[in-house]
Amino acid sequence: MRVAGIFKTFPLGKKGSVRALDAISFDMAQRELVAVVGPSGCGKSTLLRIIAGLETPDAGEVRIGADTPATLTARHRLGVAFQDHGLLPWLTVAGNIGLPYRLAGLPPDPARIAALAGMVGLSKFLEAVPRQLSGGMRQRVSLARSIALDPVLLLLDEPFGALDLVTRRTLNQELQSLWTDLGTTTLLITHSVEEAVQLADRVLVMAARPGRIHAEFRIDLPRPRDRALTNSLPFLNLVQAVSSSLDDASAASGEQTEPGA
Ligand SMILES: Nc1ncnc2c1ncn2[C@@H]1O[C@H](COP(=O)(O)OP(=O)(O)OP(=O)(O)O)[C@@H](O)[C@H]1O
Ligand SMILES: [Mg+2]
Protein backbone atom coordinates (compact mmCIF):
# COMPACT_ATOMS: atom_id res chain seq x y z
CA MET A 1 0.00 0.00 0.00
CA ARG A 2 1.33 3.43 -0.88
CA VAL A 3 0.10 6.79 0.40
CA ALA A 4 1.71 9.54 -1.66
CA GLY A 5 1.59 13.27 -0.97
CA ILE A 6 -1.85 13.50 0.60
CA PHE A 7 -3.15 17.01 1.32
CA LYS A 8 -6.56 17.80 2.80
CA THR A 9 -7.94 21.15 3.97
CA PHE A 10 -11.42 21.58 5.43
CA PRO A 11 -13.16 24.95 5.14
CA LEU A 12 -14.39 26.37 8.44
CA GLY A 13 -16.72 29.18 7.41
CA LYS A 14 -15.53 32.70 8.17
CA LYS A 15 -13.02 31.40 10.69
CA GLY A 16 -10.72 30.15 7.95
CA SER A 17 -9.75 26.57 7.33
CA VAL A 18 -8.16 23.52 8.90
CA ARG A 19 -5.15 21.95 7.24
CA ALA A 20 -6.10 18.45 8.30
CA LEU A 21 -3.35 16.69 6.32
CA ASP A 22 -0.17 18.13 4.83
CA ALA A 23 2.05 16.04 2.54
CA ILE A 24 1.41 12.66 4.13
CA SER A 25 3.42 9.89 2.45
CA PHE A 26 4.26 6.40 3.60
CA ASP A 27 4.37 2.84 2.33
CA MET A 28 3.15 -0.36 3.90
CA ALA A 29 4.57 -3.76 3.03
CA GLN A 30 2.28 -6.72 2.56
CA ARG A 31 1.31 -8.29 5.90
CA GLU A 32 2.65 -5.27 7.75
CA LEU A 33 0.80 -3.82 10.72
CA VAL A 34 1.33 -0.08 11.04
CA ALA A 35 -0.07 1.84 14.01
CA VAL A 36 -0.72 5.59 13.95
CA VAL A 37 -0.69 7.67 17.13
CA GLY A 38 -1.02 11.42 17.45
CA PRO A 39 -2.75 14.18 19.40
CA SER A 40 -6.49 14.59 19.04
CA GLY A 41 -7.36 16.44 15.85
CA CYS A 42 -4.09 15.69 14.02
CA GLY A 43 -5.92 14.07 11.13
CA LYS A 44 -5.71 10.34 11.91
CA SER A 45 -9.34 9.61 11.10
CA THR A 46 -9.22 11.84 8.05
CA LEU A 47 -6.22 9.89 6.79
CA LEU A 48 -7.97 6.58 7.39
CA ARG A 49 -11.14 7.81 5.70
CA ILE A 50 -9.12 8.88 2.65
CA ILE A 51 -7.41 5.46 2.50
CA ALA A 52 -10.86 3.87 2.81
CA GLY A 53 -12.12 6.00 -0.08
CA LEU A 54 -14.72 7.68 2.16
CA GLU A 55 -13.11 11.09 1.73
CA THR A 56 -11.35 12.65 -1.28
CA PRO A 57 -7.90 14.23 -0.80
CA ASP A 58 -7.16 17.67 -2.29
CA ALA A 59 -3.94 16.23 -3.70
CA GLY A 60 -2.06 12.97 -3.61
CA GLU A 61 -3.09 9.39 -4.10
CA VAL A 62 -3.52 6.05 -2.41
CA ARG A 63 -2.57 2.80 -4.13
CA ILE A 64 -3.19 -0.66 -2.77
CA GLY A 65 -1.27 -2.88 -5.19
CA ALA A 66 -2.87 -2.13 -8.54
CA ASP A 67 -6.04 -0.88 -6.82
CA THR A 68 -7.30 2.49 -5.64
CA PRO A 69 -9.60 2.69 -2.60
CA ALA A 70 -12.56 2.92 -4.98
CA THR A 71 -11.68 -0.17 -7.02
CA LEU A 72 -10.83 -2.16 -3.89
CA THR A 73 -14.15 -1.17 -2.30
CA ALA A 74 -15.96 -2.14 -5.49
CA ARG A 75 -14.33 -5.56 -5.20
CA HIS A 76 -15.37 -5.70 -1.50
CA ARG A 77 -11.81 -6.36 -0.40
CA LEU A 78 -11.34 -3.38 1.92
CA GLY A 79 -12.08 -4.09 5.61
CA VAL A 80 -12.96 -1.22 7.93
CA ALA A 81 -13.88 -1.05 11.63
CA PHE A 82 -14.43 2.12 13.64
CA GLN A 83 -14.67 2.98 17.32
CA ASP A 84 -18.42 3.17 16.96
CA HIS A 85 -19.01 -0.48 16.12
CA GLY A 86 -21.77 0.34 13.61
CA LEU A 87 -23.70 -2.92 14.00
CA LEU A 88 -27.23 -3.13 12.69
CA PRO A 89 -29.41 -3.53 15.81
CA TRP A 90 -32.06 -5.65 14.10
CA LEU A 91 -29.62 -8.23 12.76
CA THR A 92 -28.19 -11.11 14.78
CA VAL A 93 -24.45 -11.60 15.30
CA ALA A 94 -24.48 -14.00 12.34
CA GLY A 95 -26.40 -11.43 10.28
CA ASN A 96 -24.01 -8.65 11.16
CA ILE A 97 -20.88 -10.70 10.49
CA GLY A 98 -22.41 -11.83 7.19
CA LEU A 99 -23.46 -8.34 6.15
CA PRO A 100 -20.48 -7.84 3.79
CA TYR A 101 -21.69 -10.88 1.83
CA ARG A 102 -25.08 -9.29 1.34
CA LEU A 103 -23.54 -5.96 0.38
CA ALA A 104 -21.34 -7.75 -2.15
CA GLY A 105 -24.35 -9.59 -3.55
CA LEU A 106 -22.90 -12.93 -2.43
CA PRO A 107 -24.78 -15.68 -0.63
CA PRO A 108 -23.70 -15.68 3.06
CA ASP A 109 -21.51 -18.65 3.88
CA PRO A 110 -22.79 -20.04 7.22
CA ALA A 111 -19.68 -22.14 7.84
CA ARG A 112 -17.41 -19.16 7.27
CA ILE A 113 -19.59 -16.93 9.47
CA ALA A 114 -19.51 -19.50 12.26
CA ALA A 115 -15.73 -19.75 11.90
CA LEU A 116 -15.39 -15.96 12.10
CA ALA A 117 -17.57 -15.87 15.21
CA GLY A 118 -15.36 -18.60 16.66
CA MET A 119 -12.20 -16.59 15.93
CA VAL A 120 -13.51 -13.71 18.04
CA GLY A 121 -14.91 -15.98 20.77
CA LEU A 122 -18.59 -15.56 19.98
CA SER A 123 -19.58 -19.03 18.82
CA LYS A 124 -22.38 -19.23 21.36
CA PHE A 125 -23.85 -15.87 20.40
CA LEU A 126 -24.57 -16.30 16.69
CA GLU A 127 -28.29 -15.76 17.23
CA ALA A 128 -27.97 -12.90 19.74
CA VAL A 129 -28.77 -9.33 18.68
CA PRO A 130 -26.40 -6.43 19.51
CA ARG A 131 -28.37 -5.16 22.53
CA GLN A 132 -27.82 -8.54 24.19
CA LEU A 133 -24.04 -8.10 23.93
CA SER A 134 -21.48 -6.19 25.99
CA GLY A 135 -19.43 -3.39 24.43
CA GLY A 136 -16.42 -5.66 24.01
CA MET A 137 -18.54 -8.33 22.35
CA ARG A 138 -19.94 -5.79 19.90
CA GLN A 139 -16.43 -4.72 18.96
CA ARG A 140 -15.58 -8.37 18.37
CA VAL A 141 -18.53 -8.65 16.00
CA SER A 142 -17.39 -5.51 14.22
CA LEU A 143 -13.88 -6.95 13.87
CA ALA A 144 -15.20 -10.28 12.57
CA ARG A 145 -17.34 -8.42 10.06
CA SER A 146 -14.40 -6.33 8.85
CA ILE A 147 -12.42 -9.47 7.94
CA ALA A 148 -15.37 -11.49 6.59
CA LEU A 149 -14.45 -11.13 2.93
CA ASP A 150 -10.71 -11.60 3.50
CA PRO A 151 -9.68 -7.98 2.93
CA VAL A 152 -6.51 -7.02 1.12
CA LEU A 153 -6.23 -4.10 3.54
CA LEU A 154 -7.74 -3.74 7.01
CA LEU A 155 -8.33 -0.25 8.43
CA LEU A 156 -9.06 0.05 12.15
CA ASP A 157 -9.88 3.43 13.73
CA GLU A 158 -9.62 3.04 17.51
CA PRO A 159 -11.64 -0.17 17.40
CA PHE A 160 -11.28 -0.69 21.15
CA GLY A 161 -11.17 2.97 22.17
CA ALA A 162 -14.43 2.96 24.10
CA LEU A 163 -13.61 -0.12 26.17
CA ASP A 164 -12.16 -0.53 29.64
CA LEU A 165 -8.49 -1.37 29.96
CA VAL A 166 -8.91 -5.06 30.82
CA THR A 167 -11.29 -5.78 27.94
CA ARG A 168 -9.01 -3.82 25.70
CA ARG A 169 -5.99 -5.89 26.66
CA THR A 170 -7.92 -9.08 25.97
CA LEU A 171 -9.05 -7.83 22.58
CA ASN A 172 -5.52 -6.72 21.73
CA GLN A 173 -4.29 -10.24 22.40
CA GLU A 174 -7.08 -11.58 20.22
CA LEU A 175 -6.37 -9.11 17.45
CA GLN A 176 -2.73 -10.11 17.62
CA SER A 177 -3.37 -13.80 17.12
CA LEU A 178 -6.03 -13.11 14.51
CA TRP A 179 -3.63 -10.91 12.59
CA THR A 180 -0.83 -13.47 12.92
CA ASP A 181 -3.13 -16.14 11.46
CA LEU A 182 -4.55 -14.02 8.66
CA GLY A 183 -1.50 -11.92 7.78
CA THR A 184 -3.72 -9.07 6.59
CA THR A 185 -2.01 -5.75 5.92
CA THR A 186 -3.42 -3.55 8.68
CA LEU A 187 -3.45 0.15 9.54
CA LEU A 188 -4.45 0.71 13.16
CA ILE A 189 -5.23 4.07 14.71
CA THR A 190 -4.99 4.15 18.47
CA HIS A 191 -4.60 6.56 21.37
CA SER A 192 -2.63 4.01 23.34
CA VAL A 193 1.14 3.95 22.83
CA GLU A 194 1.34 0.57 24.61
CA GLU A 195 -1.23 -0.85 22.21
CA ALA A 196 0.66 0.55 19.22
CA VAL A 197 4.02 -0.86 20.33
CA GLN A 198 2.53 -4.20 21.28
CA LEU A 199 0.76 -4.77 17.98
CA ALA A 200 2.70 -2.95 15.29
CA ASP A 201 5.68 -3.57 13.05
CA ARG A 202 5.98 0.18 12.76
CA VAL A 203 4.50 3.15 14.61
CA LEU A 204 3.89 6.50 12.92
CA VAL A 205 3.62 9.52 15.22
CA MET A 206 1.59 12.40 13.79
CA ALA A 207 1.56 16.07 14.77
CA ALA A 208 -1.34 18.46 14.24
CA ARG A 209 -2.09 21.65 12.31
CA PRO A 210 -1.12 20.86 9.81
CA GLY A 211 -1.51 17.12 10.23
CA ARG A 212 1.81 15.55 9.33
CA ILE A 213 4.07 12.61 10.15
CA HIS A 214 6.34 13.66 12.97
CA ALA A 215 8.34 10.47 13.55
CA GLU A 216 8.48 6.80 12.71
CA PHE A 217 9.54 3.87 14.89
CA ARG A 218 10.31 0.37 13.74
CA ILE A 219 9.23 -2.17 16.36
CA ASP A 220 11.63 -5.09 16.08
CA LEU A 221 10.27 -7.12 18.98
CA PRO A 222 9.61 -10.86 18.75
CA ARG A 223 6.07 -12.21 18.55
CA PRO A 224 3.82 -13.20 20.16
CA ARG A 225 4.03 -10.12 22.33
CA ASP A 226 2.60 -11.55 25.50
CA ARG A 227 2.65 -10.21 29.05
CA ALA A 228 6.25 -11.32 29.57
CA LEU A 229 7.28 -9.32 26.50
CA THR A 230 5.24 -6.24 27.44
CA ASN A 231 6.91 -6.28 30.87
CA SER A 232 10.40 -6.50 29.35
CA LEU A 233 12.87 -3.64 29.18
CA PRO A 234 13.08 -3.43 25.35
CA PHE A 235 9.30 -3.05 25.18
CA LEU A 236 9.20 -0.44 27.92
CA ASN A 237 12.06 1.48 26.30
CA LEU A 238 10.17 1.63 23.01
CA VAL A 239 6.99 2.77 24.77
CA GLN A 240 9.06 5.47 26.46
CA ALA A 241 10.61 6.59 23.16
CA VAL A 242 7.28 6.72 21.30
CA SER A 243 5.61 8.51 24.23
CA SER A 244 8.24 11.21 24.35
CA SER A 245 8.00 11.63 20.58
CA LEU A 246 4.25 11.99 21.00
CA ASP A 247 4.86 14.69 23.62
CA ASP A 248 7.13 16.53 21.18
CA ALA A 249 4.53 16.13 18.43
CA SER A 250 1.82 17.56 20.70
CA ALA A 251 4.04 20.51 21.64
CA ALA A 252 4.82 21.09 17.95
CA SER A 253 1.14 21.06 17.01
CA GLY A 254 -0.07 24.45 15.86
CA GLU A 255 -3.17 26.57 16.34
CA GLN A 256 -6.61 25.10 15.98
CA THR A 257 -7.36 26.85 12.69
CA GLU A 258 -5.69 28.91 9.99
CA PRO A 259 -6.95 32.49 9.71
CA GLY A 260 -9.35 33.15 6.85
CA ALA A 261 -8.12 34.89 3.72
N1 LIG B 1 -15.83 16.70 7.67
C1 LIG B 1 -15.07 17.63 8.24
N2 LIG B 1 -15.36 18.94 8.08
C2 LIG B 1 -14.57 19.91 8.62
N3 LIG B 1 -13.50 19.66 9.37
C3 LIG B 1 -13.16 18.38 9.57
C4 LIG B 1 -13.92 17.30 9.03
N4 LIG B 1 -13.35 16.13 9.40
C5 LIG B 1 -12.28 16.48 10.15
N5 LIG B 1 -12.15 17.82 10.25
C6 LIG B 1 -11.08 18.55 10.95
O1 LIG B 1 -9.85 17.97 10.56
C7 LIG B 1 -8.98 17.85 11.69
C8 LIG B 1 -8.56 16.41 11.84
O2 LIG B 1 -9.70 15.64 12.28
P1 LIG B 1 -9.61 14.07 12.52
O3 LIG B 1 -10.94 13.60 12.91
O4 LIG B 1 -8.99 13.46 11.32
O5 LIG B 1 -8.60 14.00 13.74
P2 LIG B 1 -8.15 12.74 14.62
O6 LIG B 1 -6.66 12.75 14.62
O7 LIG B 1 -8.83 11.53 14.16
O8 LIG B 1 -8.65 13.16 16.07
P3 LIG B 1 -9.14 12.20 17.27
O9 LIG B 1 -7.88 11.62 17.86
O10 LIG B 1 -9.79 13.16 18.23
O11 LIG B 1 -10.07 11.18 16.73
C9 LIG B 1 -9.74 18.42 12.88
O12 LIG B 1 -9.30 19.74 13.11
C10 LIG B 1 -11.18 18.40 12.44
O13 LIG B 1 -11.88 19.49 13.00
MG1 LIG C 1 -10.22 10.17 15.03
Side-chain angles (χ1 to χ4, degrees), residues 225-233:
R225 298 182 185 157
D226 51 16
R227 276 312 272 268
L229 190 281
T230 61
N231 286 330
S232 73
L233 204 54

Side-chain angles (χ1 to χ4, degrees), residues 108-127:
D109 174 350
R112 165 88 176 146
I113 290 168
L116 285 162
M119 278 185 216
V120 295
L122 290 176
S123 292
K124 292 194 177 133
F125 294 88
L126 277 168
E127 295 313 313

Side-chain angles (χ1 to χ4, degrees), residues 44-45 157-158 189:
K44 303 180 296 295
S45 295
D157 192 350
E158 298 187 49
I189 292 173

